[in-house]
Amino acid sequence: DGMAPTVSAGGTLVYRTRPEKTNRLVWVDRQGRVLGAIGQAQSIIRNPSISPDGQRVAADGADANSGFDIWIHDSRGTKERITSEFADRRHPVWSPTGDQIAFDSGGSIYVQPMDQSTEAKKILPLGAVEEIFLNWSHTGATLLYDFLSPNRSNRDIWYLHPSGAANGSPLVQTPADEMLPQISPDEHFVLYQSTESGGYLPDIFAVSFPDGKRKTKISISGGTHPRW
């Protein structure tokens, strides 16, 4: 793209170009120091998810003139697309064994084998109105997700057993927006972000899993994107 053009008396055109914007995944320690990069630069990189072995990062991203797909950035300094372009595939999460990735596409949940031996399998057609955020349990037995269904006005948190269940079950379903679920390592509790408190910022809550009967507010003055 050219901007701010001007022409000299001799007819020479001068203009300013817009630099190409790229994103890069980097490792950062708990003090905020950048330790190094992983993978390659890309026009857009969102929602990174570290593999169980710590050598790869899955993310939804896009290069120039492409739609959002799932890409793998690895410690060798390479990146690889594992889904088809122009499919609007987002929010990848690894299985605990690192051989599969679940993601959201078109309001449904898919699972893609990492060896790409087969096409991505749709395991739950939700018809979600907006993006779906996923979290896979440490044992692989449970996949949590939040979504906004066509017949509700707020996001809710559900879960399913990806190995066989055809339908999901609700965990937190209230008039507030609940999203970004994160199951604990022992799979007894789920953290999530909610607008239940009615403040300017959402808050973080913990709920017992899978009964959903015990709920505790974790944050004091708002919080987002919980992690164990």
Side-chain angles (χ1 to χ4, degrees), residues 17-36:
T17 60
R18 180 177 301 170
E20 182 180 355
K21 294 182 179 180
T22 58
N23 291 272
R24 191 74 186 267
L25 292 170
V26 296
W27 297 111
V28 179
D29 67 15
R30 291 180 180 271
Q31 285 70 48
R33 294 176 299 218
V34 175
L35 304 178

Side-chain angles (χ1 to χ4, degrees), residues 76 82 127 146 160 177 217:
R76 299 170 300 171
I82 65 166
D146 70 66
L160 62 86
D177 271 317
K217 183 181 176 183

Side-chain angles (χ1 to χ4, degrees), residues 9 15 23 26 29 31 36 67 74 79 87 120 126 158 162 194 211-212 222-223:
Y15 60 91
N23 291 272
V26 296
D29 67 15
Q31 285 70 48
D74 68 28
K79 74 177 189 289
L126 290 171
W158 291 58
S194 174
D211 59 43

Side-chain angles (χ1 to χ4, degrees), residues 127-151:
V129 177
E130 297 178 352
E131 298 176 70
I132 303 168
F133 296 88
L134 305 166
N135 180 233
W136 211 321
S137 70
H138 290 256
T139 63
T142 306
L143 193 62
L144 287 105
Y145 58 97
D146 70 66
F147 80 109
L148 177 62
S149 66
N151 59 350

